[in-house]
Amino acid sequence: MASPLQRARGWLRQVGTPILDFALPPRCPACGEIVAEQHGFCASCWSSIHFLGEPCCAGCGLPFAYDLGPEARCGACHADAPPFERARAVMAYGAVARTVALRFKYGRRTGHAKLIAAHMARHLAGMDMAGVLLVPVPLHRWRLWSRGFNQAALIADALARTTGAHRLNDALVRTRRTPPLRNMSAGKRRRLVQGAFALAPRRAEAVDGRHIILIDDIWTTGATAAACAAILRRGGAARVDLLCWARVLADEEDGAAD
Ligand SMILES: [Zn+2]
């Protein structure tokens, strides 16, 4: 039998961590400055963020300098319609987006998934989330093994919890590793990702006829997401959208990795 003291120690060990977390002041997820609210950015980081939203291309979400109407699409979407219906990203890739993504991926700050999901939810307003299936862009199994988690799957989990959408983390598999796709021509990127993803055979039924939102952290070239969306469409998905944390825009690029 454990003594009352041992029992008390055991109890303290169990509850000690959450109490400690609660007692620590929240910090800016980008610079670490103490802030008033959990998951809030400090004023200086906040003001440096280029949040993406309207007015933008109805297809890929590329920001427009002025409003061209709700159905206006950019030149790239007109020239070569992407396999996703609607793609959006929370912010342009820059110092804050990069720090949050790197801390999340390599610093194991998995709480950042909640922060990212909270910002993503802004782009889902008015959507019937109960009918939506969230599918994360998969990692190759070697990378999953070395990192221990797929950051896109953690974001999908957090987003499913807050929006009531369903999520299917193993609908897609990465059958081949791909090199970083930046600085390659669109044709070469497309060739490199071709055949790198597949629909998991036992998930084929779950995808058929569904409205799917693909989840990814960084949208670098769009080639990876396009390959995944095309597979889901071929697998019978009624509609595929894309939602990302940050998008590399041509004029704000500074070292993103796919
Ligand atoms: Zn577009």
Side-chain angles (χ1 to χ4, degrees):
M1 274 289 279
S3 72
L5 185 64
Q6 280 169 329
R7 278 205 299 274
R9 278 199 188 127
W11 181 80
L12 272 175
R13 258 200 304 277
Q14 277 172 24
V15 300
T17 316
I19 285 177
L20 193 65
D21 280 351
F22 189 69
L24 287 171
R27 289 178 179 274
C28 170
C31 73
E33 186 85 15
I34 289 174
V35 290
E37 269 177 73
Q38 195 73 39
H39 300 315
F41 288 101
C42 73
S44 141
C45 285
W46 181 269
S47 64
S48 77
I49 296 171
H50 174 188
F51 283 103
L52 300 176
E54 310 282 335
C56 65
C57 167
C60 74
L62 185 79
F64 286 159
Y66 46 89
D67 201 343
L68 300 168
E71 289 307 313
R73 280 162 201 263
C74 72
C77 285
H78 270 297
D80 188 10
F84 34 77
E85 176 104 5
R86 179 183 183 271
R88 296 292 182 270
V90 171
M91 59 178 70
Y93 189 83
V96 168
R98 181 168 175 273
T99 308
V100 170
L102 290 179
R103 283 186 172 180
F104 180 24
K105 252 195 271 199
Y106 304 111
R108 299 183 175 272
R109 299 285 184 86
T110 48
H112 279 29
K114 265 191 204 165
L115 161 87
I116 292 172
H119 280 277
M120 279 181 166
R122 181 166 59 92
H123 290 281
L124 301 172
M127 219 178 243
D128 171 24
M129 293 308 288
V132 163
L133 189 63
L134 304 172
V135 172
V137 168
L139 282 185
H140 189 270
R141 63 180 189 281
W142 292 353
R143 200 172 282 177
L144 185 63
W145 181 79
S146 66
R147 190 175 296 163
F149 62 91
N150 174 3
Q151 68 279 6
L154 292 188
I155 297 170
D157 285 346
L159 200 55
R161 275 196 299 273
T162 54
T163 62
H166 295 273
R167 58 123 182 83
L168 198 57
N169 285 348
D170 56 357
L172 292 169
V173 286
R174 200 182 276 244
T175 51
R176 191 154 52 66
R177 296 180 87 177
T178 46
L181 300 172
R182 277 184 72 233
N183 308 322
M184 287 186 190
S185 71
K188 187 154 191 208
R189 290 196 297 256
R190 211 169 291 166
R191 278 197 300 281
L192 278 167
V193 295
Q194 197 143 52
F197 300 92
L199 186 61
R202 66 200 176 90
R203 296 304 192 193
E205 214 171 304
V207 161
D208 194 26
R210 297 299 299 269
H211 173 194
I212 292 173
I213 302 182
L214 260 175
I215 304 293
D216 207 359
D217 57 348
I218 313 291
W219 170 355
T220 312
T221 66
T224 302
C228 291
I231 283 166
L232 292 167
R233 289 302 304 270
R234 276 204 299 276
R239 167 179 172 170
V240 182
D241 295 340
L242 170 67
L243 190 52
C244 300
W245 166 238
R247 174 177 181 174
V248 177
L249 294 175
D251 53 342
E252 299 187 50
E253 205 164 347
D254 72 340
D258 218 334

